[in-house]
Amino acid sequence: MELESLSVPAINRFASLYLKQEAPVTDFFHYNLSAGTVYEERAADLQARTYQRGPLAACIEAYMKPFAFSEEVAASLEKLRDERSAVVIGGQQAGLLTGPLYTIYKIVSIIKLAQQQESELGIPVVPVFWIAGEDHDFLEVNHVYVERESSIEKLTYPERITGKKMVSDILYDKEHMKGWIKKVFANFGETDYTKQLLMHVCEEAEAASSVTEFFSRLVHSLFHRYGLLVIDSAFKPLRELEKPFFKQLIEQAEVITEAVHREQKVMAGLEFNQMIELSASAANLFLYENEERVLLEYDGETKRFSSKDGVIQYEKAELLNLLEREPEKFSNNVVTRPLMQEWLFPTLAFIAGPGEIAYWAELKAAFEQLDMKMPPIEARLNMTLVERGVVRSLEELHVPLDVAVREGIEAPKERFWHSVRDDHFHEMIEGVEQSLMAQYDELEKRAQNLHQETVPVILKNREFHLKQLAFLTRKTDEMIQRRHEVVLNKYEKLQNALRPLGSPQERIRNVYEYLNKYGPDFVHELMEFDFPFTGKHYLVKI
């Protein structure tokens, strides 16, 4: 593998400015990454606070116990128990087969930054991946994309899941899951690595029972040698640790929402798009009732928490009593999850995607309301995997690699098509069409005056000729396309490789496609690179 870098704009204006650490964006955060001592400052701030490091480590150990434990994971748990320790943390939903590549890049970012800061600060720094298992939108995680011939297609897991059940509570039929996995791998193609890799993935699917556990097992199998700790936000023992802070969130529901709205108003004045949709009555908590997550609202006048439809209603005291009895019924939303994370973990840095950076900015006042600072927000590593065949094809077609990664292949393909298409023939057909339509207009006018009963026949005949001219145009193009099929397919393959479906590669492609092609050490070879956190986009040539 080889590593190169280039500048690629972030998906939103706010994130682009944040990567450059430019004002006024930096005003929405407590730490400025451009300060050379930012992590020394943050580590000192963490030492001024107390954390439940021992119970937290025990909770994570209990969650990871069913997995094939490693010495590195055991060492990370011991580090977490150390009163000097800090964590680098990030999270994602539990996608099938780990989801898009950006999930893998987020984990790589967590581990790399933890390694770098442990070396620089001289304190234990632990990589932690917090799975958003409490999320209930299964449609966001129930598929992978595969390439079939010259197109990218979505392969959706077929088992029907209804309601708003937490992903961690979605139990799948193991035979259905293994059948779907085999179908995915069949599209990846047979290689020297397929049999062993497929066997391993199916074994993990058999060993797990829920979607989140399956995800956790795969992540653990890929990254356990780096001491990565994995925890599901919906793990019931974790809820016991979170009870005191859930109590604070209930007590201060109204002021937390007001704090977010204040920050959003400031951002709107600077013409930044609002990322978090938040009603004035938002309580920023979900309640799990009958295996469905119900978003709570808070009425400041009646002092009651309720569902939007009013079916579920609690006095504040009743809700606090429920929290004491059944904390597993409570979960966070997009506002309170970062707050809970900061309360629970001694967070040296949070690894965020572009969208996350923008919505964290809306939370500064909410953190301050709870006497906390948001941690330094470090943008996750962005990468594009570039295979040798892709490089060769780009050179043959005279398309610069940086242009292909930033903009895709559609424009060069379109230029090539116009260079080989018989534009003069198209113009001749258009001329015939214009002349013919003019004559039909004359026929229709005369018929309207002399014999109106023939007008429908004229219109039908005109439509027939239009269709025939369109057919002639289409068939001519198809013949030219067949003549240049090899080159046009090459453009299509390049688009699928670098900007599939017009999106960054990391949002569509799956890591198991590359593990199947390049072997089980693919991720470990990626981990050998020293990735500076500069905001650059990395090209990994394989």
Side-chain angles (χ1 to χ4, degrees):
M1 288 186 180
E2 297 176 17
L3 194 65
E4 294 181 12
S5 64
L6 70 156
S7 295
V8 176
I11 60 172
N12 63 68
R13 184 169 70 94
F14 191 94
S16 292
L17 292 172
Y18 184 79
L19 290 175
K20 300 172 187 174
Q21 288 293 282
E22 292 184 4
V25 164
T26 49
D27 295 337
F28 294 95
F29 299 88
H30 288 110
Y31 297 92
N32 193 316
L33 295 183
S34 60
T37 59
V38 61
Y39 288 116
E40 288 90 337
E41 180 187 346
R42 176 62 177 178
D45 288 345
L46 293 178
Q47 286 302 304
R49 294 176 56 191
T50 57
Y51 294 91
Q52 303 178 79
R53 285 180 171 86
L56 180 60
C59 181
I60 295 174
E61 184 173 13
Y63 178 73
M64 297 185 71
K65 191 174 182 180
F67 312 155
F69 231 50
S70 70
E71 291 181 7
E72 293 85 358
V73 167
S76 286
L77 288 166
E78 285 307 307
K79 287 180 182 179
L80 185 56
R81 292 183 172 96
D82 190 318
E83 290 298 321
R84 300 171 302 139
S85 69
V87 307
V88 174
I89 193 169
Q92 199 65 48
Q93 292 168 294
L96 291 184
L97 293 182
T98 72
L101 278 167
Y102 63 70
T103 300
I104 299 301
Y105 300 157
K106 185 172 282 188
I107 296 171
V108 171
S109 305
I110 291 167
I111 295 169
K112 284 296 182 181
L113 188 61
Q115 290 173 344
Q116 291 171 16
Q117 291 307 315
E118 181 169 276
S119 174
E120 291 184 17
L121 298 175
I123 63 172
V125 181
V126 183
V128 178
F129 192 75
W130 200 10
I131 305 163
E134 62 199 11
D135 282 1
H136 57 264
D137 194 347
F138 186 56
L139 295 179
E140 287 192 14
V141 300
N142 71 344
H143 58 272
V144 298
Y145 290 93
V146 297
E147 185 171 6
R148 283 180 174 169
E149 296 179 355
S150 294
S151 64
I152 299 291
E153 297 183 17
K154 181 192 285 189
L155 278 187
T156 301
Y157 178 65
E159 197 173 355
R160 191 162 177 262
I161 308 296
T162 59
K164 292 184 177 180
K165 187 181 290 188
M166 291 193 299
V167 172
S168 289
D169 281 351
I170 295 176
L171 309 181
Y172 54 80
D173 181 283
K174 295 184 180 184
E175 293 307 312
H176 281 168
M177 181 61 78
K178 286 186 284 187
W180 177 80
I181 292 166
K182 290 172 183 175
K183 185 178 179 182
V184 171
F185 271 76
N187 282 278
F188 290 161
E190 184 79 23
T191 71
D192 293 341
Y193 308 109
T194 304
K195 185 177 180 181
Q196 184 178 355
L197 185 62
L198 178 58
M199 185 184 303
H200 167 72
V201 174
C202 286
E203 285 173 353
E204 296 291 10
E206 178 68 31
S209 55
S210 71
V211 168
T212 302
E213 186 186 352
F214 181 33
F215 173 88
S216 299
R217 285 178 169 276
L218 293 181
V219 166
H220 177 72
S221 69
L222 292 171
F223 293 101
H224 66 81
R225 70 168 68 175
Y226 306 103
L228 179 71
L229 300 185
V230 178
I231 183 67
D232 177 7
S233 63
F235 189 46
K236 288 183 180 180
L238 190 65
R239 288 286 186 261
E240 285 291 335
L241 291 182
E242 294 173 341
K243 272 200 305 189
F245 198 64
F246 269 121
K247 183 178 179 181
Q248 287 188 50
L249 296 177
I250 292 169
E251 295 281 8
Q252 300 192 54
E254 194 170 24
V255 293
I256 289 171
T257 296
E258 289 171 356
V260 176
H261 282 149
R262 285 199 307 274
E263 211 72 15
Q264 288 178 331
K265 189 174 181 180
V266 176
M267 294 184 72
L270 296 168
E271 299 185 347
F272 290 116
N273 293 330
Q274 180 178 318
M275 299 298 291
I276 301 174
E277 294 296 327
L278 199 63
S279 71
S281 58
N284 301 304
L285 291 173
F286 283 93
L287 200 61
Y288 208 39
E289 295 278 4
N290 301 316
E291 292 196 318
E292 287 213 355
R293 287 180 88 210
V294 179
L295 188 62
L296 294 181
E297 297 185 340
Y298 178 69
D299 187 327
E301 291 185 9
T302 64
K303 309 295 183 186
R304 294 181 70 86
F305 291 82
S306 65
S307 58
K308 191 171 184 179
D309 59 10
V311 173
I312 295 171
Q313 293 200 25
Y314 287 94
E315 298 283 353
K316 185 181 288 186
E318 293 174 330
L319 197 63
L320 291 171
N321 286 334
L322 180 64
L323 174 65
E324 284 299 318
R325 298 193 314 270
E326 300 178 85
E328 67 275 7
K329 284 193 169 184
F330 292 77
S331 59
N332 296 292
N333 79 337
V334 68
V335 170
T336 53
R337 186 181 295 152
L339 298 170
M340 181 66 76
Q341 173 191 291
E342 177 59 20
W343 181 80
L344 197 60
F345 292 91
T347 306
L348 183 70
F350 176 73
I351 300 294
E356 288 174 299
I357 291 171
Y359 86 69
W360 269 70
E362 299 178 11
L363 304 178
K364 184 180 180 182
F367 273 86
E368 292 170 351
Q369 183 65 43
L370 294 165
D371 297 319
M372 298 188 298
K373 290 182 179 180
M374 69 171 73
I377 309 298
E378 195 78 65
R380 70 164 170 81
L381 298 168
N382 289 274
M383 305 182 210
T384 298
L385 304 176
V386 185
E387 298 174 272
R388 292 177 185 175
V390 167
V391 174
R392 285 196 300 270
S393 293
L394 287 170
E395 289 172 349
E396 289 171 12
L397 299 175
H398 306 291
V399 179
L401 176 57
D402 61 335
V403 171
V405 171
R406 286 193 191 96
E407 304 170 15
I409 309 295
E410 286 301 320
K413 179 186 175 184
E414 194 67 18
R415 285 195 295 272
F416 171 77
W417 170 238
H418 280 289
S419 73
V420 298
R421 193 180 74 160
D422 192 339
D423 287 335
H424 182 61
F425 190 76
H426 278 255
E427 291 168 1
M428 291 175 68
I429 292 176
E430 288 173 11
V432 169
E433 182 179 313
Q434 291 172 5
S435 174
L436 196 60
M437 291 307 101
Q439 293 180 55
Y440 268 110
D441 286 344
E442 292 299 320
L443 283 173
E444 186 183 352
K445 286 177 185 176
R446 185 165 183 81
Q448 291 283 5
N449 293 327
L450 298 178
H451 27 75
Q452 289 189 354
E453 68 275 9
T454 62
V455 170
V457 178
I458 292 169
L459 294 176
K460 186 175 181 180
N461 198 257
R462 177 168 64 182
E463 186 65 25
F464 172 78
H465 279 99
L466 283 172
K467 287 181 179 178
Q468 286 298 304
L469 289 171
F471 175 77
L472 177 59
T473 301
R474 188 171 63 253
K475 282 297 177 182
T476 303
D477 282 350
E478 286 175 2
M479 286 186 287
I480 296 171
Q481 284 170 353
R482 281 196 296 272
R483 198 180 307 151
H484 298 278
E485 186 175 17
V486 172
V487 177
L488 288 169
N489 283 345
K490 195 170 286 187
Y491 278 107
E492 198 66 34
K493 284 280 188 183
L494 287 171
Q495 179 72 8
N496 292 342
L498 299 176
R499 297 280 300 184
L501 302 179
S503 295
Q505 179 197 74
E506 61 184 22
R507 302 191 71 82
I508 303 296
R509 296 284 193 170
N510 178 271
V511 70
Y512 280 93
E513 178 181 355
Y514 297 91
L515 288 165
N516 180 65
K517 191 178 291 187
Y518 297 104
D521 289 334
F522 173 77
V523 167
H524 307 308
E525 290 175 16
L526 194 63
M527 287 294 297
E528 289 178 4
F529 287 116
D530 180 20
F531 291 103
F533 286 81
T534 61
K536 293 281 189 179
H537 187 97
Y538 288 104
L539 303 178
V540 182
K541 293 186 175 180
I542 51 180

